[in-house]
Amino acid sequence: MEKKLQGQIAIITGASSGIGAGVAKSLAVAGATVVINHPVAATKPAADAVLAEIITAGGTGISYQCDVSKEDEVVKMFSDVVAQFGTVDILVNNAGLQRDSPFTEMTLEQWNFVIGVNLTGQFLCAREAIKEFLRRGVVAERSSAAGKIICMSSVHEVIPWAGHANYAASKGGIMLMMKSIAQEFAPKKIRINSICPGAIQTPINKAAWDTPQALQSLLTLIPYQRIGQPDDIGKAAVWLASDDSDYITGASIFIDGGMTLYPGFSTNG
Ligand code: NAD
């Protein structure tokens, strides 16, 4: 199989589980050296297990602890990766979490925590990645672009979500941050896009699929009638990081089995 990301260095944030782990495996199969970011000491074993699987399959990479909401840690992660591997070609801004609450009971801590990881974390990582892309510029043997960023957004960048105002606000914020920096850096050959997953089977939404009743209820929101898998996102991430998508920047790509098609209208109106 042609390795479309051969020789490129990719940082994937929040890659010790779920979508991030799936994306890291897919990028590694495509030839990228992957940095499996995870937030705290407790997530190191899971990150190392993802790395071990990648190495067994013939890939290369490291695991790296960094809380993406902390500026000093993000700056250090990028400088350490550049010191070890020479540069960074691809950033997958994936780390994210939920702290759900009815709006009038939502604490400032719940609000700030979600915005801090989901939105500020993406800002900090994108800023450091773009500085490195600008420093290096285009190296034709690596890629037609000076660098690629994939922001993990959500269908909730467009679908309102009662009880999850902090999460939906973080994803709506990602949409316009992504488009604004895509506009700013397109002339420098930096491509920035978002993937907007629907329901993907991961720890973040376990309650929505771990009983037959919950899954049945979830499927009423998915016209394609199956829950998504991390691999569905991984395949798209490889394409978005490769020169096959060289003319695409500033796009939100929905991978959701039709969740954004207003399925409630299929039998109404
Ligand atoms: P997950 O809980 O398995 O993964 C989230 C990862 O982020 C975890 O590995 C966690 O350790 C990491 N993380 C949390 N805080 C961090 C921090 N401060 N620094 C670094 N890493 C941190 O869930 P997932 O479903 O794989 O979620 C991945 C991304 O996909 C998130 O941004 C989420 O919002 C988005 N998403 C998921 C779904 C879905 O259905 N699963 C749908 C839409 C969007």
Side-chain angles (χ1 to χ4, degrees), residues 90-222:
I90 299 159
L91 165 67
V92 183
N93 248 340
N94 168 78
L97 41 74
Q98 293 176 216
R99 287 294 179 274
D100 308 330
S101 167
F103 191 65
T104 50
E105 289 160 32
M106 187 175 285
T107 64
L108 180 60
E109 191 188 7
Q110 285 172 315
W111 175 269
N112 282 340
F113 191 51
V114 170
I115 297 293
V117 174
N118 295 16
L119 184 55
T120 308
Q122 292 218 9
F123 154 65
L124 291 170
C125 291
R127 189 188 65 186
E128 295 311 302
I130 290 170
K131 284 190 210 162
E132 172 56 18
F133 299 161
L134 293 173
R135 183 198 66 77
R136 173 177 34 76
V138 175
V139 179
E141 310 82 72
R142 297 173 89 88
S143 174
S144 307
K148 286 88 49 161
I149 298 177
I150 299 169
C151 299
M152 206 56 69
S153 183
S154 166
V155 290
H156 295 295
E157 74 169 43
V158 293
I159 300 179
W161 205 12
H164 310 258
N166 46 2
Y167 183 83
S170 74
K171 297 301 184 180
I174 287 167
M175 174 178 64
L176 274 177
M177 181 191 74
M178 179 279 287
K179 288 180 190 287
S180 299
I181 59 178
Q183 186 190 63
E184 190 168 344
F185 293 104
K188 300 292 184 189
K189 295 281 183 200
I190 295 169
R191 296 194 298 109
I192 307 164
N193 295 286
S194 286
I195 289 176
C196 304
I200 310 297
Q201 194 165 14
T202 75
I204 208 173
N205 56 3
K206 191 165 185 293
W209 50 260
D210 73 344
T211 66
Q213 298 86 330
L215 184 60
Q216 201 46 48
S217 163
L218 180 65
L219 290 179
T220 63
L221 299 174
I222 308 173

Side-chain angles (χ1 to χ4, degrees), residues 190-259:
I190 295 169
R191 296 194 298 109
I192 307 164
N193 295 286
S194 286
I195 289 176
C196 304
I200 310 297
Q201 194 165 14
T202 75
I204 208 173
N205 56 3
K206 191 165 185 293
W209 50 260
D210 73 344
T211 66
Q213 298 86 330
L215 184 60
Q216 201 46 48
S217 163
L218 180 65
L219 290 179
T220 63
L221 299 174
I222 308 173
Y224 204 62
Q225 289 294 293
R226 74 167 172 85
I227 190 166
Q229 297 301 324
D231 186 47
D232 291 313
I233 307 299
K235 288 177 196 155
V238 169
W239 176 72
L240 269 181
S242 78
D243 285 352
D244 286 348
S245 60
D246 187 52
Y247 205 49
I248 300 180
T249 192
S252 289
I253 299 187
F254 288 83
I255 303 178
D256 66 353
M259 190 177 257

Side-chain angles (χ1 to χ4, degrees), residues 6-41:
Q6 190 65 50
Q8 297 191 47
I9 314 302
I11 296 179
I12 305 100
T13 67
S16 61
S17 65
I19 291 173
V23 167
K25 288 176 201 169
S26 297
L27 296 187
V29 167
T33 294
V34 290
V35 177
I36 306 196
N37 161 256
H38 66 97
V40 289

